[in-house]
Structures are given as C-alpha cells and as structure tokens.
C-alpha cells in the first residue's frame, strides 16, 4: 500500500523507470471505514441466522454465535476451554461428535491465527454452521462422516489480535503480547509453533510482522493449541484457514530444497479433490502444492507442526482473493467463499471415508 502523500511520487518513479503498474484499490481506508460504519446498523437489523453471514463480526459477536450453536445443536456439539490468550480471553474449541468409541479419527480446523484475515474465521464459522444444519437434516455425507470421525474447531486462534483489528489497526497480524526490550508488540503466531522454530521466513526482530517470538510457544494462544493437539489421539487431518491467495498448501514449509513428505502422493490427491470441488461451485481457481514451492518458506508454522506430530493430512488453505482486495475482502464474498469452501471440505471428507 502507498500512503496518499506518496501516491504521486511513487507513480512518477515507476513511470520513470518503466515499471508497469495498476491500482487495485484506489482508497483502502474508505473500504475499511465503510465496513466498520455499516457494522452496527447491520447487527441491529439482523433477524435470522442466515443474515449472520452477510457481514463480518467482532470477537464478542463470534462468542455469542458459538453459544447459539451450542444451544441449538447440543446433542452433537460440545465446548472445551483449552486455555486463554495473553489478554485472558478464553479459547474455546467446539467438538462435533456423536459420541461412541474414543478411538475415532479426529479432524482439526482453526481460523483467525493472523488477525487481519477476517474471511478466515467467517469461513470456518460458515462451514461449521452448514455441517451442523446438514447433519441435523439427515444429509447422508455428513451423517456418514460423523460415524467415523470427530471434528474439533477453533474459530479464532488469535483473539487478542483479532479484537485489535476491530478497535485499532485493521491490518494488524500478530498477537498482542509485549516483547521484552522492545516497544514493538506482538509475535507472529504462525511462526511460533514448536517444530523447526526460528529458521527461514521467521524474523528475530520484534518489530517484524513475521517475528518468531522469544521462544517456540512463547505465545499462550499457540501453547494452548499445541498442548491440546498433543492429547488428541488419531489426529487424521489438520487445516489452518488463512487468506489470501487461493492456495492449498502442505508440508514441508520450514526451509527450501527439502525432500518431499513421505505420503506426498495421497496428500496431494486429497488436496486436488478439495480444490476441484471448490472450482466446481464458483469457478474460482486454486492451486494445491508444497508451501515453499507455491508461496515461501515459513519455519515454525502450523501445518508443519501438525504433520510432525503424526497428522496424516496437514494443510494451510489460503482463501480468496488473489490480491484485488486482499485482507479487506468485501462482505458480499463471505457467503460465496463459505459455499465453495464447504464443498471443498466435504470433498476432503469423502476422500477420507473412501481411501483411508
């Protein structure tokens, strides 16, 4: 982004050196303020659960939505508090399960690890709500899946940072914990996982957006998730939802020029089935592949950690778009993104049932 005071200078410089360019969003701040200004009136006017997904929500509204799901679907839905954030916000995981054998295979979905990626928790909430609705209506795929799997879901992995994006800086990425010896606040929670921590793509500078933290799991949010995942037996699939780029990424991502993971063929097949289903709904094109090859090296990241503890299928999904709106994806895109992502998730679930 270019500040208004530098717009003419940057354009002139690019023209002088012959670099082609075009403006994606003429006034980013206007987009942000429009979303915020309309939020209160939309919340006040909301009359049904369907309307919930017409706009983005504050952390408090997300907590209320989670409570409403628990009230509506208490026969298959429960809540587990796994820890608290730095600012003492409770981190509550939803568990979708019919009960039965404790050795069922497990699924983990998480959103909102990077605070500014609002479409992430919105999408995770959407697919959770739709799965519960479909299961309750007797839909065959959803009913069949829950006979063999339990699903664990964390809507917002970085609640302090997410709250900060609503109250202060819309483009804040990190947590909100202080850093000793620095005026800069926060750690990149997706460089803080305890596998190959502190390598490529992770900064040791506290002011960097990719600051790795003072140590692995220095952030209570990541420590809480890690401690919970360690206790989950038979974790079969892990998906960390991000934005943006329209990618489905799998390990390894912690360094360049690494040997492929041992089961890359089946991991790629499941990923391809997922993105094919997404494209069938919306026509939106995704790519599936190794993190480093499609994006960049990022050590201490979630999908690498999950794979390192034995998760068979571990991914990051980068939701829409490809850069026009980036982190300020319009609210009109929440439902379409939710619909296509749900189709992808169900394709992944069908793959698990059929081939594993």
């Amino acid at each position: 982004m270019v500040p208004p005071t530098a717009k003419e200078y940057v354009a002139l410089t690019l023209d002088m050196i012959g670099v082609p360019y075009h403006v994606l969003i003429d006034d980013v701040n206007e987009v942000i303020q429009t979303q915020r200004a309309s939020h209160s009136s939309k919340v006040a006017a909301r009359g049904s659960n369907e309307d919930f997904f017409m706009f983005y929500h504050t952390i408090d509204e997300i907590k209320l939505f989670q409570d409403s799901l628990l009230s509506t679907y208490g026969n298959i839905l429960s809540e587990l508090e796994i820890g608290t954030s730095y600012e003492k916000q409770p981190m509550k995981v939803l568990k979708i399960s019919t009960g039965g054998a404790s050795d069922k295979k497990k699924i983990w979905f998480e959103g909102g690890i990077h605070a500014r990626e609002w479409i992430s928790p919105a999408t995770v909430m959407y697919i959770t709500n739709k799965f519960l609705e479909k299961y309750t209506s007797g839909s065959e795929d959803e009913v069949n899946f829950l006979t063999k799997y339990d699903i664990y879901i964390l809507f917002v992995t970085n609640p302090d940072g997410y709250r900060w994006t609503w109250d202060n800086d819309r483009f804040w990425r990190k947590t909100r914990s202080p850093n000793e010896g620095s005026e800069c606040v926060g750690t990149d929670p997706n460089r803080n996982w305890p596998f190959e921590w502190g390598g490529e793509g992770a900064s040791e500078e506290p002011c960097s957006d990719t600051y790795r933290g003072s140590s692995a799991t220095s952030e209570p949010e990541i420590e809480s998730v890690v401690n919970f995942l360690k206790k989950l037996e038979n974790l079969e699939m892990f998906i960390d939802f991000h934005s943006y780029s329209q990618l489905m990424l799998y390990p390894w991502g912690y360094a360049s020029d690494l040997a492929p993971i041992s089961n890359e063929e089946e991991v790629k097949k499941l990923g391809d089935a997922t993105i094919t289903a997404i494209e069938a709904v919306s026509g939106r094109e995704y790519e599936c592949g190794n993190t480093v090859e499609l994006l960049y090296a990022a050590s201490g990241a979630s999908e690498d950690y999950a794979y390192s503890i034995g998760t068979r299928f571990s991914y990051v999904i980068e939701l829409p778009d490809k850069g026009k709106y980036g982190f300020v994806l319009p609210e009109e895109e929440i439902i379409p993104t939710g619909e296509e992502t749900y189709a992808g998730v169900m394709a992944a679930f069908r793959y698990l049932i059929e081939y594993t």
Side-chain angles (χ1 to χ4, degrees), residues 113-131:
I113 194 170
H114 284 150
R116 62 193 176 191
E117 299 169 8
W118 286 7
I119 191 61
S120 166
T123 300
V124 177
M125 288 189 290
Y126 188 94
I127 61 179
T128 301
N129 184 70
K130 184 159 186 175
F131 185 92

Short mmCIF file of all heavy atoms in Angstrom, two decimals, residues 113-131:
data_model
loop_
_atom_site.label_atom_id
_atom_site.label_comp_id
_atom_site.label_asym_id
_atom_site.label_seq_id
_atom_site.Cartn_x
_atom_site.Cartn_y
_atom_site.Cartn_z
N ILE A 113 -5.77 -17.15 12.85
CA ILE A 113 -4.46 -17.11 13.51
C ILE A 113 -3.74 -15.80 13.18
O ILE A 113 -3.00 -15.26 14.00
CB ILE A 113 -3.61 -18.35 13.15
CG1 ILE A 113 -2.42 -18.47 14.11
CG2 ILE A 113 -3.16 -18.30 11.70
CD1 ILE A 113 -1.67 -19.79 13.98
N HIS A 114 -3.96 -15.29 11.97
CA HIS A 114 -3.49 -13.94 11.61
C HIS A 114 -4.68 -13.00 11.68
O HIS A 114 -5.67 -13.16 10.97
CB HIS A 114 -2.86 -13.95 10.22
CG HIS A 114 -1.49 -14.56 10.19
ND1 HIS A 114 -0.99 -15.22 9.09
CD2 HIS A 114 -0.52 -14.60 11.14
CE1 HIS A 114 0.24 -15.64 9.37
NE2 HIS A 114 0.53 -15.28 10.60
N ALA A 115 -4.56 -11.99 12.54
CA ALA A 115 -5.71 -11.21 12.97
C ALA A 115 -6.45 -10.52 11.84
O ALA A 115 -7.68 -10.42 11.85
CB ALA A 115 -5.24 -10.18 14.00
N ARG A 116 -5.73 -10.02 10.85
CA ARG A 116 -6.35 -9.20 9.81
C ARG A 116 -7.11 -10.00 8.76
O ARG A 116 -7.80 -9.44 7.91
CB ARG A 116 -5.26 -8.38 9.11
CG ARG A 116 -4.19 -9.21 8.41
CD ARG A 116 -3.01 -8.36 8.03
NE ARG A 116 -1.91 -9.12 7.42
CZ ARG A 116 -0.70 -8.62 7.21
NH1 ARG A 116 -0.44 -7.37 7.54
NH2 ARG A 116 0.24 -9.35 6.66
N GLU A 117 -7.01 -11.32 8.82
CA GLU A 117 -7.60 -12.18 7.80
C GLU A 117 -9.05 -12.52 8.18
O GLU A 117 -9.38 -13.66 8.50
CB GLU A 117 -6.73 -13.42 7.61
CG GLU A 117 -5.33 -13.05 7.14
CD GLU A 117 -4.32 -14.21 7.18
OE1 GLU A 117 -4.75 -15.36 7.44
OE2 GLU A 117 -3.12 -13.96 6.96
N TRP A 118 -9.92 -11.53 8.14
CA TRP A 118 -11.28 -11.67 8.64
C TRP A 118 -12.08 -12.75 7.93
O TRP A 118 -12.98 -13.35 8.53
CB TRP A 118 -12.02 -10.33 8.51
CG TRP A 118 -11.61 -9.30 9.51
CD1 TRP A 118 -10.58 -9.37 10.42
CD2 TRP A 118 -12.23 -8.03 9.72
NE1 TRP A 118 -10.52 -8.22 11.16
CE2 TRP A 118 -11.52 -7.37 10.75
CE3 TRP A 118 -13.31 -7.38 9.12
CZ2 TRP A 118 -11.87 -6.11 11.21
CZ3 TRP A 118 -13.65 -6.11 9.58
CH2 TRP A 118 -12.95 -5.48 10.61
N ILE A 119 -11.78 -13.01 6.67
CA ILE A 119 -12.55 -14.03 5.95
C ILE A 119 -12.29 -15.42 6.52
O ILE A 119 -13.12 -16.33 6.36
CB ILE A 119 -12.23 -13.99 4.43
CG1 ILE A 119 -13.22 -14.86 3.63
CG2 ILE A 119 -10.79 -14.42 4.16
CD1 ILE A 119 -14.66 -14.44 3.74
N SER A 120 -11.18 -15.59 7.22
CA SER A 120 -10.85 -16.91 7.79
C SER A 120 -11.85 -17.34 8.86
O SER A 120 -12.52 -18.38 8.70
CB SER A 120 -9.42 -16.90 8.32
OG SER A 120 -9.18 -18.01 9.15
N PRO A 121 -11.99 -16.62 9.99
CA PRO A 121 -12.99 -17.08 10.95
C PRO A 121 -14.41 -17.06 10.39
O PRO A 121 -15.23 -17.92 10.75
CB PRO A 121 -12.84 -16.10 12.13
CG PRO A 121 -12.07 -14.95 11.61
CD PRO A 121 -11.22 -15.46 10.49
N ALA A 122 -14.71 -16.12 9.50
CA ALA A 122 -16.04 -16.10 8.89
C ALA A 122 -16.32 -17.39 8.14
O ALA A 122 -17.42 -17.96 8.22
CB ALA A 122 -16.17 -14.90 7.96
N THR A 123 -15.32 -17.88 7.42
CA THR A 123 -15.49 -19.11 6.64
C THR A 123 -15.56 -20.33 7.54
O THR A 123 -16.37 -21.24 7.31
CB THR A 123 -14.33 -19.25 5.64
OG1 THR A 123 -14.34 -18.12 4.75
CG2 THR A 123 -14.47 -20.52 4.83
N VAL A 124 -14.72 -20.37 8.57
CA VAL A 124 -14.76 -21.51 9.49
C VAL A 124 -16.11 -21.58 10.20
O VAL A 124 -16.68 -22.67 10.39
CB VAL A 124 -13.60 -21.43 10.51
CG1 VAL A 124 -13.69 -22.58 11.51
CG2 VAL A 124 -12.25 -21.49 9.79
N MET A 125 -16.66 -20.43 10.57
CA MET A 125 -17.99 -20.43 11.16
C MET A 125 -19.05 -20.90 10.16
O MET A 125 -19.97 -21.64 10.52
CB MET A 125 -18.34 -19.02 11.67
CG MET A 125 -17.58 -18.62 12.92
SD MET A 125 -18.18 -17.06 13.65
CE MET A 125 -17.64 -15.85 12.44
N TYR A 126 -18.91 -20.47 8.91
CA TYR A 126 -19.88 -20.84 7.89
C TYR A 126 -19.91 -22.35 7.68
O TYR A 126 -20.98 -22.97 7.67
CB TYR A 126 -19.57 -20.14 6.57
CG TYR A 126 -20.64 -20.32 5.54
CD1 TYR A 126 -21.65 -19.38 5.38
CD2 TYR A 126 -20.66 -21.44 4.72
CE1 TYR A 126 -22.66 -19.56 4.44
CE2 TYR A 126 -21.66 -21.63 3.78
CZ TYR A 126 -22.66 -20.68 3.63
OH TYR A 126 -23.66 -20.87 2.71
N ILE A 127 -18.74 -22.95 7.52
CA ILE A 127 -18.72 -24.39 7.24
C ILE A 127 -19.16 -25.19 8.47
O ILE A 127 -19.77 -26.26 8.33
CB ILE A 127 -17.34 -24.86 6.72
CG1 ILE A 127 -16.23 -24.61 7.73
CG2 ILE A 127 -17.02 -24.19 5.39
CD1 ILE A 127 -14.86 -25.08 7.24
N THR A 128 -18.87 -24.68 9.66
CA THR A 128 -19.34 -25.34 10.88
C THR A 128 -20.85 -25.32 10.95
O THR A 128 -21.51 -26.35 11.19
CB THR A 128 -18.76 -24.65 12.13
OG1 THR A 128 -17.33 -24.67 12.07
CG2 THR A 128 -19.23 -25.33 13.41
N ASN A 129 -21.44 -24.15 10.73
CA ASN A 129 -22.89 -24.00 10.78
C ASN A 129 -23.56 -24.86 9.72
O ASN A 129 -24.56 -25.55 10.01
CB ASN A 129 -23.24 -22.53 10.56
CG ASN A 129 -24.72 -22.25 10.69
OD1 ASN A 129 -25.28 -22.31 11.77
ND2 ASN A 129 -25.36 -21.93 9.57
N LYS A 130 -23.01 -24.88 8.52
CA LYS A 130 -23.65 -25.65 7.46
C LYS A 130 -23.54 -27.15 7.72
O LYS A 130 -24.50 -27.91 7.46
CB LYS A 130 -23.05 -25.30 6.10
CG LYS A 130 -23.75 -26.02 4.95
CD LYS A 130 -23.55 -25.36 3.62
CE LYS A 130 -24.37 -26.04 2.54
NZ LYS A 130 -24.31 -25.35 1.24
N PHE A 131 -22.40 -27.60 8.24
CA PHE A 131 -22.26 -29.02 8.54
C PHE A 131 -23.30 -29.44 9.58
O PHE A 131 -23.94 -30.49 9.44
CB PHE A 131 -20.85 -29.31 9.06
CG PHE A 131 -20.59 -30.78 9.29
CD1 PHE A 131 -20.04 -31.56 8.30
CD2 PHE A 131 -20.93 -31.38 10.51
CE1 PHE A 131 -19.81 -32.93 8.50
CE2 PHE A 131 -20.71 -32.73 10.73
CZ PHE A 131 -20.15 -33.51 9.72
#
